[in-house]
Amino acid sequence: FRCPLTHQSALKMHEKLNEAPQSSRPSSTETSNSGFGRGSGAGEQSSKGGSHSGSNSGTVGSSTGRDRKDYGTVHRDLFTRPQGLDKKGRMGRQVACNANFVQIVSDIDRSIHQFHVGYEPEIDAKQMRIDLVRDQCSDIVGDHCIFDGMILYLPHNFDGAEAKRVVRHKITGSDVTVTFRPSVCFGRNDPQAINIYNLLIREAFKFIGFVQVQRNFFDPKRSNLVKEWDVEVWPGYETAVRMYEDEMMLCIENRFKVLRRATVFQQLISEYNRANGNMDVVKTNCDHTYTGSTILTLYNNRMHRLSRFEWDMNPMSSFHHAATDKKMTFVEYFRTQYGVDIKNMDQPLIVSEGKPKQPGEDPQVTYLVPELCHCTGLADSMRKDFKTMRVLSDFTRLSPDRRRESTMKFLENARNNEHVQKMFNFWKVGFGTSLVDLPCRQLEPETLFGRTPQMTYKGHNAEWAKDVKQAGNFRTENLQDWIIVCPDMPKAFDEAFKFIKECTTLGRTMQMQVSDPFKWKVDNAQATAYYEATKTALENFTKETNRAAKMVVVIVNDDNKTRYDTVKKLLCNDMPVPSQIVKLETLTGKAGVNKNYSSIVLKILLQINCKLGGAIWKVAIPLEKTMIVGYDLYHDSTMKGKTVGACVSSYDKDFTKWYSQTLPHSNPTELGDNLRKFIRKALQKYYMDNGNDLPGRIFVYRDGCGDGQIPYVRDTEVRQVQEAAEEVGKALNLPYAPKLAFTIITKKVNMRVFKKVGNDLKNPDPGTVVDSVVTRPERYDFYMVPQFVNQGTVTPVCYNIIHDTTGIPPDRHHQLAFKLCHLYYNWQGTVRVPAPCQYAHKLAFLVAQSLHDESHESLRDKLFFL
């Protein structure tokens, strides 16, 4: 390894694609249609047709003869399913399953009246507001009213004389005027009726003895203690009632809350003792350790984000209380509002900053008292403790059988609770006694192709790590003209030479040429030293060989983020070249002996091949003239309120080459014109690499979108894709309007599916598709389980096709999604989402966390971000 030399500034290269002019929305001109071939029992269906204009506008989906009147509970803006579309597939093997749903039986036959409840003076404590109405206004609201502290639901209206009531505050004894102001009146077939069912379930939890934290309910009486770290794990549930395919159902998902038993004040005392009373050290350590932590206040069971400590304030500090229009100390406030007495007056206050209520306003500021707060979640030291994580996983990773047992326990408790039953009978609502049956289909395992068409293999449990080495790469890029940068220490030198030798040996097996690299050493582990050494190595390699380097491998001592970010910025922006950063411990093993050395180096070598432009395998996707696009978002860690959007698009017939782009935008909920720009450049790349031809079909998979954003995506982003296509066509002087399928992907779903094996429940096999019973009537949607899970319960992924003019039937959408889950090259197995979405996530993560800027154009046709 050579010593670093004085470096010279490298010449930056900038390449820009010409942007097509803006234009209006394209016409509905269609291009040629080429699909997967003929399906079994399902012809191709056109999914044209507008979405529903309202929640009661006609039948959704195929007619089954069932009563559809409760579809009015779905808000009309959420309808994206084309009229008359049967979204059930036919392909695959039938599998009997259960899901974590129970039926809701509703016989509500009367109007429901909603009231807004106001208090004079105002009361901040939610439970206090509820108790005042239930205890002192029961003669007018009854014993079974539905009340969340602000909104009251009753099956009858008030007389004028009953709209106001004076009650007595339970703590201060002062008079409080409670006003019931009528709001709206609705029936069971209304979007607001869903609130009734959800609030009834919440009331049931409270009567059973659960504690509400945010939107979920937990049972502290059944908490599990992890003694080593003095933390409790509270078991609980997250529930939701909504209209599914044919009936109203309740989804019940297990949740867990990790709570540290020591209060924040007790932790501050520990920090004080560790610092021997040095308050400067205490302040520094506390700000570093606790800033950003999530804390729980048990007096109202609310979660807060700890923004900072206010060291100059204490519980005796005063503030102006708007409700009483007078100054009040925090001690007085917590005593009158929550009945809590603060004991220590020398503790600082915690400041929690929330989002502004309105754009342009200051953030909401909440002051909290450390002795009333508990930190939630795991500290970094706990995550690094293998024993602790294993104990926690025993509590939180529930198998399908344990989930069924937990759900049945809740249902049994609800049935056996007299007050719950009276409340449900009063509202004429009930639920089933078992999990719903779910007909599913399991798709056939995909065949993967290696170096030649004859070298094929299929994974076992959707993994194929053992087959990749022998089958070879589908497309191989030789590892030549490469540089390796290594720490200046004998141990690192030995590992570097061993790594080079192993790469050469594996390369011969896989018919991948690996030449001897240009070696360079770095004097110390500082980020600046690595920056200078890497830059100097690149310059000297070019001087000596008169060629540009194609790959840089950097060996580092640890996973220091600053050093990683510095090196990546250099190699992705200033001096663009594909790079691979390898931690020394990865090569040596934790104990100094690495039994899986060859396997680890093989994975690194495969990753390098992809970053050079190669492809490890392919699957058969018989779609001609098609471009597949993945889009995802990631929040920039250094820029508050900034979000990075990443787009990855295919540009070859085998769907193994991907073009990547990123753009920042300031509004996390909107894209502006980003998607239009992404699609325009993606089409230009496709055009240049496919003989001046454009794709006839575009499949867009959009990740990172919540239910509330569906109308925006449907009305804005779909249009942007269409407009981008027309703009490219105009720039080329030809009419162009490709067929388009736009699918929203949701990973965070509460639905769980369990495969029935006799009387037991198991995880479903990879390729299991759910397209009925628990899907949504207003959507063209399906769920898929693409991976094998042997611990806990697998989480399916939801696909919601909000726009489709491709003409392919539901089966082909299911099959395409499953195939794409096989094409992520950083893992020898399937991934949860289609590969372009996973690539987009990796790219957005790299840019947001490390680069904070767009990568160089010369890297964008390679998977440099793996």
Side-chain angles (χ1 to χ4, degrees), residues 8 38 134 266 404 447 629 754 787 830:
Q8 298 178 353
R38 296 183 179 181
R134 290 193 180 278
Q266 290 171 329
R404 176 174 60 180
T447 300
V629 179
F754 317 123
Q787 293 178 295
T830 54

Side-chain angles (χ1 to χ4, degrees), residues 301-416:
N301 294 314
R302 291 193 61 182
M303 307 286 288
H304 305 269
R305 181 75 64 182
L306 194 155
S307 301
R308 65 181 185 276
F309 287 99
E310 197 63 72
W311 297 99
D312 296 330
M313 297 180 67
N314 59 56
M316 291 304 296
S317 301
S318 59
F319 65 98
H320 182 265
H321 189 230
T324 58
D325 195 25
K326 66 177 183 180
K327 277 196 171 184
M328 180 182 292
T329 66
F330 289 96
V331 173
E332 294 172 325
Y333 174 80
F334 282 99
R335 183 184 299 125
T336 58
Q337 292 291 331
Y338 299 102
V340 175
D341 288 320
I342 298 173
K343 298 176 182 178
N344 189 287
M345 302 303 164
D346 293 329
Q347 57 189 311
L349 297 185
I350 294 171
V351 177
S352 176
E353 293 184 349
K355 295 180 180 178
K357 288 186 177 181
Q358 298 294 333
E361 292 185 357
D362 293 332
Q364 298 183 66
V365 178
T366 303
Y367 289 91
L368 306 168
V369 180
E371 75 175 49
L372 304 179
C373 302
H374 294 260
C375 285
T376 65
L378 300 175
D380 291 338
S381 54
M382 299 179 194
R383 296 182 189 277
K384 294 177 182 178
D385 187 338
F386 178 75
K387 280 188 176 181
T388 299
M389 297 306 295
R390 186 170 59 184
V391 171
L392 286 173
S393 67
D394 291 339
F395 299 143
T396 59
R397 288 186 180 177
L398 301 184
S399 66
D401 273 329
R402 288 177 65 189
R403 285 178 181 270
R404 176 174 60 180
E405 180 184 344
S406 175
T407 300
M408 292 298 102
K409 182 67 175 176
F410 162 67
L411 297 177
E412 181 183 353
N413 289 339
R415 283 193 298 269
N416 294 336

Side-chain angles (χ1 to χ4, degrees), residues 45-49 80 82 85 697-699 718 739-743 780 801-810 813:
Q45 303 177 29
S46 173
S47 57
K48 296 178 186 177
T80 57
L85 173 70
R697 283 186 289 203
I698 300 175
F699 290 84
V718 172
K739 297 178 180 180
L740 172 65
F742 199 112
T743 303
Y780 181 7
I801 306 171
I802 63 171
H803 179 90
D804 184 18
T805 57
T806 60
I808 69 173
H813 279 292

Side-chain angles (χ1 to χ4, degrees), residues 248-266:
M248 199 86 67
M249 286 193 288
L250 167 67
C251 177
I252 306 174
E253 169 59 355
N254 295 86
R255 287 286 180 260
F256 300 90
K257 182 66 65 180
V258 177
L259 183 70
R260 302 179 209 176
R261 301 178 75 186
T263 65
V264 176
F265 177 64
Q266 290 171 329

Side-chain angles (χ1 to χ4, degrees), residues 39-56:
S40 55
E44 294 195 348
Q45 303 177 29
S46 173
S47 57
K48 296 178 186 177
S51 61
H52 290 265
S53 59
S55 58
N56 295 308

Side-chain angles (χ1 to χ4, degrees), residues 151-336:
I151 304 298
L152 175 73
Y153 296 97
L154 288 173
H156 60 268
N157 205 345
F158 288 149
D159 295 333
E162 296 177 331
K164 188 174 290 188
R165 176 64 63 90
V166 177
V167 299
R168 190 165 297 279
H169 197 286
K170 294 172 64 175
I171 297 175
T172 65
S174 58
D175 288 343
V176 178
T177 301
V178 183
T179 304
F180 301 91
R181 181 168 56 85
S183 179
V184 295
C185 178
F186 55 90
R188 60 176 281 180
N189 192 26
D190 187 276
Q192 291 203 71
I194 291 294
N195 291 340
I196 300 297
Y197 303 110
N198 283 309
L199 288 170
L200 282 172
I201 300 300
R202 291 188 183 186
E203 291 296 320
F205 274 115
K206 292 177 182 178
F207 290 130
I208 294 172
F210 280 69
V211 172
Q212 183 176 1
V213 180
Q214 299 295 80
R215 296 183 178 181
N216 302 332
F217 285 85
F218 299 91
D219 187 1
K221 298 187 297 294
R222 293 193 297 122
S223 65
N224 298 288
L225 177 63
V226 182
K227 293 182 180 179
E228 291 80 1
W229 294 96
D230 197 29
V231 298
E232 292 181 352
V233 182
W234 290 6
Y237 302 92
E238 179 177 355
T239 61
V241 177
R242 59 167 55 99
M243 187 67 198
Y244 291 92
E245 252 348 286
D246 294 317
E247 58 191 336
M248 199 86 67
M249 286 193 288
L250 167 67
C251 177
I252 306 174
E253 169 59 355
N254 295 86
R255 287 286 180 260
F256 300 90
K257 182 66 65 180
V258 177
L259 183 70
R260 302 179 209 176
R261 301 178 75 186
T263 65
V264 176
F265 177 64
Q266 290 171 329
Q267 292 175 292
L268 292 179
I269 294 296
S270 298
E271 292 286 353
Y272 180 84
N273 293 333
R274 276 194 292 268
N276 296 320
N278 188 326
M279 283 305 299
D280 290 334
V281 175
V282 172
K283 291 177 183 179
T284 300
N285 291 343
C286 289
D287 289 340
H288 174 75
T289 304
Y290 299 105
T291 298
S293 299
T294 302
I295 54 179
L296 172 66
T297 50
L298 290 178
Y299 53 83
N300 60 356
N301 294 314
R302 291 193 61 182
M303 307 286 288
H304 305 269
R305 181 75 64 182
L306 194 155
S307 301
R308 65 181 185 276
F309 287 99
E310 197 63 72
W311 297 99
D312 296 330
M313 297 180 67
N314 59 56
M316 291 304 296
S317 301
S318 59
F319 65 98
H320 182 265
H321 189 230
T324 58
D325 195 25
K326 66 177 183 180
K327 277 196 171 184
M328 180 182 292
T329 66
F330 289 96
V331 173
E332 294 172 325
Y333 174 80
F334 282 99
R335 183 184 299 125
T336 58

Side-chain angles (χ1 to χ4, degrees), residues 532-732:
E532 297 294 339
T534 306
K535 187 175 183 180
T536 305
L538 284 166
E539 293 169 346
N540 280 272
F541 176 82
T542 302
K543 277 184 183 179
E544 295 191 17
T545 64
N546 202 27
R547 298 191 302 271
K550 296 179 181 178
M551 170 60 64
V552 176
V553 175
V554 182
I555 298 177
V556 296
N557 290 319
D558 53 40
D559 51 5
N560 180 275
K561 185 178 186 301
T562 302
R563 180 175 56 236
Y564 179 87
D565 294 351
T566 301
V567 174
K568 280 296 182 181
K569 283 180 184 178
L570 171 68
L571 298 175
C572 293
N573 299 92
D574 301 337
M575 303 179 73
V577 58
S579 60
Q580 181 73 35
I581 297 180
V582 182
K583 193 164 69 169
L584 187 60
E585 187 182 282
T586 303
L587 300 176
T588 61
K590 291 185 178 181
V593 179
N594 198 338
K595 297 180 180 179
N596 299 318
Y597 184 78
S598 181
S599 175
I600 290 172
V601 176
L602 174 62
K603 291 179 180 179
I604 296 173
L605 190 61
L606 293 173
Q607 203 170 2
I608 289 174
N609 178 58
C610 293
K611 291 182 177 183
L612 290 170
I616 309 176
W617 59 78
K618 82 159 190 172
V619 295
I621 303 180
L623 287 172
E624 297 178 1
K625 295 181 65 177
T626 298
M627 183 174 76
I628 299 176
V629 179
Y631 179 79
D632 200 1
L633 301 171
Y634 196 89
H635 298 293
D636 195 317
S637 61
T638 64
M639 303 168 66
K640 190 173 183 180
K642 296 289 183 180
T643 301
V644 173
C647 177
V648 175
S649 55
S650 66
Y651 62 94
D652 72 321
K653 62 182 179 63
D654 294 315
F655 305 98
T656 59
K657 294 182 179 181
W658 304 93
Y659 180 69
S660 59
Q661 308 170 66
T662 58
L663 281 174
H665 60 93
S666 58
N667 189 339
T669 62
E670 296 182 4
L671 284 178
D673 288 336
N674 281 4
L675 196 54
R676 180 186 286 106
K677 296 174 184 176
F678 285 147
I679 298 299
R680 197 163 58 216
K681 292 194 71 174
L683 287 171
Q684 290 171 345
K685 177 65 177 176
Y686 188 98
Y687 181 80
M688 289 186 294
D689 282 69
N690 287 273
N692 295 341
D693 198 8
L694 289 170
R697 283 186 289 203
I698 300 175
F699 290 84
V700 178
Y701 292 93
R702 207 276 200 198
D703 204 350
C705 174
D707 283 5
Q709 294 173 300
I710 291 176
Y712 171 83
V713 174
R714 178 195 62 206
D715 299 334
T716 304
E717 295 185 11
V718 172
R719 173 173 49 81
Q720 287 182 6
V721 176
Q722 295 169 325
E723 289 175 350
E726 187 181 19
E727 289 165 8
V728 170
K730 282 190 174 182
L732 298 173

